[in-house]
């Protein structure tokens, strides 16, 4: 239970920040609405 | 709260309004506005799926069950949803994308015609009205900022509606990226600090009874089964459907649902645990307020503002998305077919914006009218599953086209039975304080039978299946004129 709790906290904090960074990088590369590649 | 905290909340609200105004300049067609032109990327999909589906009902509801009953909240209230999300991703998403639809009622319209479309649209509209989220934002603004409940409800709805009207699904999804990050980080940091302040997991074991750590808790088996059945709502969830249609590719939606399921599972576990920490620490508050009270106690200035913004974000990301769907149900799925399907794109866009504003007024009215909305989510989910699940699954998976009468009978019988069970249990049942629901007790042949309000879907689903089979047996095969009519008007909207 202890392990799952800390994994969950890690997933929430680091996972959400990683997705947000992924979003920013994707917008920088392809724009807000992706262009055809 | 410290002035810094108020500042953070104000910056967040101004930020989402500014984003709506910026995005509105990109909107030229109904498809741009309603499904972001079908060009939504994977990271945006992850953020919008996670934050939309998790509103204050999950934040307060799951923590409430954790506070009162322990880990059963995660195992039986939340876990069934991850299985149905995997089924939705693997079996439903590809078929839905092949059909080039714009909404859930579109799917049944293509298979059964306009009667079934209107019934499913009505069920979807009832389901989508974000009554709980708007009430939740009223309670939060009242508790934290001292804004009277009624003003909080109106303020929360107004901010959400303004940027949704301006930028449609894209504005909604872009604000969801910020809302998603805020709610996840705030909850994760809050959980770490709360565990640290109250002695960690070991202190929970010492303070709480063993039943708190039993996966089944103290619930009767039938209710655990109903919790599981409730997860079927994912398979006809209008917000999921809208995002599946908005994704730039099938791969994007598959990845987004996979990443989302991991985040949802973590979110649910932490929310459950915070409820348990509050119970172990002896918080004497309403179970629903336990998470908020505990987290605000342990967070320092600055993080407190971020958490409050995260809680408001949790509500607003749900309100905007579902208002968009409710508005779409009124204008695109109900009015457009009644008007003969020949509405030009600009008119449809304008009408749907009016419909979103109308849906928000209806929602605010309900939120101010009802003082207690316990079990409201069960009611709304039951209505949707009962009316839409059987015809939708049949439309997507039957090899031969189903008959229009089957869709019509199945959706109307499911809807009618679900509504009837709610009316009967509400009028003839007695309120049960222990379980927080209405129970209708009958005696048949000396045996006592208890019918809980939550059982509506258990009666409605089998009736919906039987009605479908009757319609298949006695209905005429569909005339392709009516079906082609629906397909043409949908294609016209897509093409524009």
């Amino acid at each position: 239970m202890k392990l799952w709790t800390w994994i969950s906290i890690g997933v929430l904090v680091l996972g959400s920040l990683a997705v947000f960074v992924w979003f920013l990088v994707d917008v920088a590369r392809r724009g807000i609405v992706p262009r055809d590649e | 709260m410290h002035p810094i905290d108020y500042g953070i909340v104000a910056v967040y609200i101004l930020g989402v309004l500014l984003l709506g105004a910026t995005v509105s300049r990109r909107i030229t067609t109904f498809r741009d506005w309603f499904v972001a032109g079908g060009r939504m990327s994977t990271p945006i999909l992850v953020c919008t799926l996670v934050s939309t589906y998790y509103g204050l009902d999950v934040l307060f509801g799951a923590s409430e069950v954790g506070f009162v009953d322990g880990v059963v909240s995660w195992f039986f209230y939340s876990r069934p949803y991850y299985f149905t999300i995997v089924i939705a991703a693997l079996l439903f998403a590809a078929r839905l994308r092949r059909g080039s639809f714009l909404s859930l009622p579109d799917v049944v319209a293509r298979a059964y015609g306009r009667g079934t479309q209107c019934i499913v649209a009505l069920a979807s509209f009832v389901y989508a009205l974000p009554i709980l989220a708007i009430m939740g934002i009223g309670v939060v603004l009242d508790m934290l900022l001292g804004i009277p409940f009624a003003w909080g409800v109106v303020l929360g709805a107004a901010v959400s509606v303004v940027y949704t009207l301006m930028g449609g699904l894209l504005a909604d999804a872009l604000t969801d990226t910020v809302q998603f990050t805020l709610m996840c980080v705030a909850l994760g940091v809050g959980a770490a600090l709360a565990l640290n302040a109250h002695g960690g997991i070991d202190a929970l074991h010492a303070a709480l009874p063993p039943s708190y750590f039993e996966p089944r808790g103290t619930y009767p088996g039938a209710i655990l089964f109903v919790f599981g059945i409730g997860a079927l709502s994912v398979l006809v969830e209008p917000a999921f459907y809208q995002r599946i249609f908005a994704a730039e590719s099938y791969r994007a939606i598959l990845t987004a649902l996979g990443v989302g399921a991991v985040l949802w599972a973590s979110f649910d576990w932490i929310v459950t645990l915070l409820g348990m920490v509050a119970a172990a620490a002896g918080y004497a508050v309403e179970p629903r307020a336990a998470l908020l009270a505990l987290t605000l106690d342990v967070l320092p200035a600055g993080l407190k503002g971020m958490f409050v913004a995260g809680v408001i974000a949790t509500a607003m990301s749900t309100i905007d998305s579902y208002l968009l769907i409710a508005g779409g149900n009124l204008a695109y799925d109900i009015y457009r077919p009644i008007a003969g399907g020949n509405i030009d794109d600009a008119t449809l866009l304008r009408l749907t914006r009016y419909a979103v504003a109308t849906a928000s007024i209806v929602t605010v009215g309900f939120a101010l009218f009802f003082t207690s909305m316990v079990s409201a989510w069960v009611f709304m989910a039951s209505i949707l599953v009962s009316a839409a699940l059987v015809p939708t699954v049949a439309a997507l998976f039957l090899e031969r086209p189903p008959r229009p009468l089957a869709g019509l009978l199945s959706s109307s019988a499911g809807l009618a039975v679900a509504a009837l069970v709610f009316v009967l249990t509400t009028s003839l049942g007695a309120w049960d304080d222990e379980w927080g629901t209405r129970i209708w007790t009958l005696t048949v042949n000396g045996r006592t039978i208890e019918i809980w309000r939550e059982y509506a879907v258990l009666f409605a689903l089998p009736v919906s299946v039987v009605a479908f089979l009757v319609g298949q047996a006695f209905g005429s095969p569909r005339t392709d004129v009516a079906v082609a009519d629906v397909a043409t008007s949908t294609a016209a909207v897509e093409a524009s």
Side-chain angles (χ1 to χ4, degrees):
Chain A
M1 192 168 162
K2 209 178 278 183
L3 180 67
W4 283 117
T5 300
W6 288 108
I7 289 176
S8 298
I9 290 175
V11 166
L12 269 188
V13 177
L14 300 177
S16 62
L17 287 173
V19 171
F20 191 65
V21 170
W22 181 14
F23 158 70
L24 293 177
V25 170
D26 193 60
V27 168
R29 272 183 52 228
R30 304 195 299 162
I32 289 176
V33 177
R35 295 179 290 271
D36 289 327
E37 291 183 8
Chain B
M1 289 206 308
H2 194 273
I4 294 174
D5 299 318
Y6 287 107
I8 291 173
V9 175
V11 165
Y12 160 72
I13 291 176
L14 286 175
V16 292
L17 287 175
L18 196 66
L19 198 66
T22 312
V23 169
S24 67
R25 282 178 290 169
R26 292 172 172 270
I27 308 295
T28 52
T29 67
F30 177 76
R31 196 162 188 266
D32 281 347
W33 189 74
F34 198 61
V35 290
R39 310 287 288 274
M40 212 179 259
S41 65
T42 314
I44 300 185
L45 280 168
V46 174
C47 300
T48 186
L49 276 166
V50 173
S51 63
T52 295
Y53 202 56
Y54 275 15
L56 290 184
D57 47 342
V58 175
L59 196 64
F60 294 158
S63 64
E64 178 186 11
V65 181
F67 183 81
V68 178
D69 291 301
V71 297
V72 63
S73 169
W74 190 85
F75 282 97
F76 281 91
Y77 190 73
S78 310
R79 192 177 52 173
Y81 284 85
Y82 317 136
F83 294 115
T84 40
I85 286 165
V86 171
I87 293 171
L90 296 178
L91 299 180
F92 280 60
R95 283 168 194 266
L96 286 168
R97 287 190 59 83
R98 251 180 263 145
S100 64
F101 305 108
L102 293 183
S103 70
L104 165 69
D106 250 1
V107 179
V108 292
R110 192 81 58 89
Y112 309 103
R114 291 185 169 145
T116 312
Q117 178 184 24
C118 284
I119 293 171
V120 172
L122 187 67
S124 170
F125 176 76
V126 170
Y127 175 84
L129 287 176
I131 301 166
L132 288 176
I134 283 198
M135 284 182 76
I137 216 165
V139 171
V140 167
L141 291 178
D142 185 13
M143 272 179 71
L144 303 179
L145 305 179
I147 298 172
F149 175 75
W151 283 108
V153 163
V154 173
L155 187 70
V159 174
S160 310
V161 166
V162 167
Y163 70 77
T164 308
L165 285 180
M166 287 192 287
L169 183 63
L170 188 59
D172 169 6
L174 289 176
T175 53
D176 282 350
T177 59
V178 181
Q179 290 161 344
F180 157 83
T181 315
L182 264 178
M183 68 188 235
C184 289
V185 172
L187 194 71
V189 173
L193 292 176
L195 278 171
N196 191 41
H198 292 284
I201 302 285
D202 295 335
L204 289 186
H205 280 284
L208 296 172
S211 69
Y212 269 70
F213 302 91
E214 287 289 323
R216 289 184 53 137
T218 53
Y219 279 82
I223 277 297
L224 296 177
F225 183 66
V226 171
F227 280 166
I229 295 281
L232 290 177
S233 61
V234 169
L235 301 178
V236 283
E237 223 298 321
F240 275 170
Y241 274 50
Q242 191 184 24
R243 279 149 187 77
I244 287 171
F245 305 140
E248 61 176 331
S249 65
Y250 172 59
R251 195 188 161 88
I253 196 76
L254 210 59
T255 312
L257 283 172
V259 174
V262 175
L263 286 159
W264 275 312
S266 307
F267 194 92
D268 285 326
W269 179 250
I270 293 303
V271 166
T272 302
L273 194 85
L274 284 175
M276 292 169 68
V277 172
Y283 273 75
V285 290
E286 280 280 306
R288 229 153 233 268
L291 181 138
L292 209 56
L294 169 73
T295 322
L296 289 177
D297 270 355
V298 296
L299 287 175
L303 281 179
K304 205 176 274 187
M306 206 176 95
F307 185 78
V308 172
V311 170
I312 295 173
T314 307
M316 281 188 14
S317 58
T318 306
I319 295 168
D320 53 18
S321 300
Y322 285 102
L323 281 180
L324 192 61
I325 288 164
N329 288 143
L330 284 185
Y332 177 77
D333 297 310
I334 297 178
Y335 177 76
R336 185 183 57 104
I338 290 172
N342 299 316
I343 302 177
D344 67 80
D345 196 71
T347 311
L348 183 61
L349 182 55
R350 197 179 65 248
L351 283 177
T352 314
R353 281 181 157 140
Y354 290 147
V356 167
T358 309
S360 73
I361 293 166
V362 173
T363 310
V364 168
F366 275 125
L368 294 178
F369 180 75
F370 290 108
T371 49
S372 166
M373 287 295 290
V374 180
S375 297
W377 74 268
V378 180
F379 169 71
M380 295 190 287
S382 300
I383 291 286
L384 179 72
V385 170
S386 306
L389 186 68
V390 175
T392 307
V393 170
L396 289 174
F397 291 95
L398 284 186
E399 285 200 3
R400 287 169 57 190
R403 301 187 171 198
L405 183 66
L408 193 62
L409 285 181
S410 164
S411 56
S412 46
L415 184 67
V417 170
L420 184 69
V421 173
F422 271 99
V423 169
L424 287 176
T425 48
T426 303
S427 53
L428 301 173
W431 179 255
D432 186 291
D433 264 337
E434 187 189 354
W435 299 107
T437 188
R438 281 198 170 269
I439 302 175
W440 179 24
T441 310
L442 295 163
T443 309
V444 181
N445 293 336
R447 282 189 62 193
T448 304
I449 300 172
E450 284 188 345
I451 299 178
W452 291 37
R453 188 158 57 179
E454 282 75 6
Y455 293 175
V457 74
L458 296 183
F459 293 99
L461 263 187
V463 171
S464 179
V465 171
V466 171
F468 184 86
L469 295 175
V470 170
Q472 280 290 79
F474 297 104
S476 319
R478 67 186 191 186
T479 55
D480 279 313
V481 179
V483 177
D485 217 14
V486 173
T488 313
S489 65
T490 309
V493 170
E494 270 171 35
S496 55

